[in-house]
Amino acid sequence: MSAPFGRGVRIAGTGRAVPACVLTNKELEKIVDTSDEWIAQRTGIRARHKANDSETVFSLGRDALLKALERSGVKADELDMIIVASVSGEMICPSTAARISEAVGAGEAAVFDLAAACSGFLYGMNMADTMIRCGRAEKIAVIGVEVLTRLVDWGDRSVSIIFGDGAGAAVFVADADPKKGCQYQEMHGDGRLWRTLYHPRLDRDVPAGDEANPIRLGHLRMHGREIYKFAVTRFQEAIRDALERTGLSVGDVQHYICHQSNQRIIESAIEKLKLPAERVYINIDRYGNTSAASIPICLDELFEAGRIESGKPIILVAFGAGVTWASCVWNT
Ligand code: COA
């Protein structure tokens, strides 16, 4: 879908918040039967942040938004909407967005949580662009935040080594130039594949056929190989479609920001599509897979380093549980 309306959207500011505690692969070796070498080779991960008892989806999301607001010059009570993308919030009711709104002083901004797993921030970013572009809102904050280390069974080495905690946020505002913001977006899902990654709380949540697996209730259950194959294909298709539909060549794009799930998945897209590797941002080595927080943390690091040039496109791509996937070509 290309940009149809008469005005554009700008990222006014970004922010991130991560737990102070860093858990390295070497430290993980003491908890679970794995090795630094295996994790680094198979995933690219060297370390991840891990929340302590007082660090929550609420507190990390709030802190990321406060930084994004400060950098954007937007006051909290000017926001029309706060979207929190997360699948690990402490409470289902009320939304984490509602509590963050109170904490930052966002008055009567619309508030809701968005559960699209690792695609959540990009779903929210695409929705924010559309709402602002068509004139239904002026200023929207989108937060991607997860504390997935609380949902993993540390004994399950195929899952516990992957995930990390953190939050990233961005404040989107209207811009007179319709060429600014999202020029192309896709959002998709395939519910037939939800069993590849899920979080069963009770026996009845466990789908037929998966009962024999050593699932511990209350912990994430992942069929990593299946997700891997799906993600490799979808990543490449999503980037290829985004380039073709916007008429961009691989060299026109200043940054490719891919969900940081496994470095090998990203590298296969680099190889297949001949992407310039130095323009494909990678920080999975320091964060692991932070799900909905992964893309906004990448964005914030790039903005902070002054590496986002105005007037040049960025391609963002994500996939996650559900399964879900999304992409966006964003003109800065
Ligand atoms: N340390 C050491 N060995 C491990 C291990 C670990 N942490 N995890 C698995 N292994 C072993 C397995 O037991 C298996 O051993 P075997 O051959 O003796 O049976 C072997 O390594 C291969 O296991 P497999 O699960 O097939 O590994 P893999 O190459 O598929 O890598 C993932 C596992 C999880 C890293 C990979 O499948 C992946 O990244 N999938 C995508 C996950 C993802 O993106 N999830 C989030 C969705 S956004």
Side-chain angles (χ1 to χ4, degrees), residues 34 38 42 118 157 162 222 224-225 259 261-262 264 289:
T34 190
W38 193 96
R42 299 283 182 123
C118 309
R157 64 182 182 172
I162 286 182
M222 182 173 82
R225 217 5 107 82
H259 166 49
S261 64
N262 184 321
R264 288 191 297 148
N289 178 346

Side-chain angles (χ1 to χ4, degrees), residues 29-307:
E29 286 178 2
K30 296 175 201 152
I31 304 172
V32 57
D33 179 18
T34 190
S35 67
D36 175 36
E37 195 191 359
W38 193 96
I39 301 171
Q41 270 182 8
R42 299 283 182 123
T43 69
I45 300 168
R46 291 277 179 194
R48 74 285 292 144
H49 292 258
K50 184 176 176 300
N52 64 27
D53 286 347
S54 65
E55 288 163 322
T56 61
V57 166
F58 161 71
S59 72
L60 293 168
R62 174 200 60 200
D63 294 350
L65 177 57
L66 284 170
K67 282 186 194 141
L69 285 168
E70 190 187 324
R71 288 189 185 143
S72 68
V74 171
K75 294 193 179 64
D77 64 3
E78 293 171 41
L79 291 173
D80 297 309
M81 183 178 284
I82 299 175
I83 303 173
V84 173
S86 184
V87 288
S88 51
E90 291 75 41
M91 286 196 273
I92 288 176
C93 181
S95 65
T96 302
R99 292 194 294 143
I100 290 178
S101 173
E102 183 204 30
V104 302
E108 296 185 356
V111 283
F112 66 93
D113 293 354
L114 190 167
C118 309
S119 311
F121 181 84
L122 211 39
Y123 267 45
M125 179 169 172
N126 283 344
M127 288 168 62
D129 179 274
T130 306
M131 291 286 292
I132 294 172
R133 196 171 283 280
C134 74
R136 298 258 187 252
E138 298 295 316
K139 292 168 186 167
I140 298 180
V142 183
I143 304 166
V145 51
E146 305 284 6
V147 178
L148 286 170
T149 61
R150 283 209 188 105
L151 303 189
V152 301
D153 171 358
W154 288 100
D156 182 351
R157 64 182 182 172
S158 64
V159 178
S160 56
I161 54 133
I162 286 182
F163 294 108
D165 303 332
V171 175
F172 299 90
V173 299
D175 192 283
D177 182 357
K179 291 203 186 70
K180 288 235 184 260
C182 183
Q183 303 301 304
Y184 166 87
Q185 61 168 263
E186 294 284 342
M187 290 192 273
H188 294 284
D190 187 345
R192 292 166 295 190
L193 299 176
W194 71 263
R195 293 164 188 80
T196 50
L197 177 53
Y198 63 100
H199 180 228
R201 290 177 201 266
L202 303 168
D203 279 327
R204 66 172 184 231
D205 299 333
V206 178
D210 224 13
E211 302 91 342
N213 283 318
I215 298 168
R216 284 182 56 198
L217 294 176
H219 297 94
L220 287 171
R221 173 74 203 173
M222 182 173 82
H223 294 273
R225 217 5 107 82
E226 284 174 48
I227 298 181
Y228 187 91
K229 283 193 236 153
F230 164 82
V232 164
T233 316
R234 283 285 176 225
F235 247 53
Q236 293 171 14
E237 279 174 8
I239 297 174
R240 191 184 300 116
D241 287 352
L243 290 167
E244 280 178 11
R245 296 284 299 278
T246 51
L248 294 168
S249 71
V250 289
D252 293 331
V253 177
Q254 62 167 318
H255 295 290
Y256 294 85
I257 303 182
C258 302
H259 166 49
Q260 308 284 306
S261 64
N262 184 321
Q263 189 161 332
R264 288 191 297 148
I265 296 174
I266 300 174
E267 281 168 353
S268 72
I270 295 177
E271 196 182 320
K272 191 87 178 176
L273 302 173
K274 304 201 177 358
L275 306 179
E278 69 285 0
R279 297 192 195 176
V280 181
Y281 196 67
I282 290 181
N283 63 12
I284 192 171
D285 51 322
R286 292 176 284 128
Y287 291 105
N289 178 346
T290 57
S291 185
S294 141
I295 286 201
I297 289 175
C298 292
L299 256 183
D300 186 54
E301 288 193 336
L302 282 165
F303 269 110
E304 192 175 66
R307 290 180 57 193

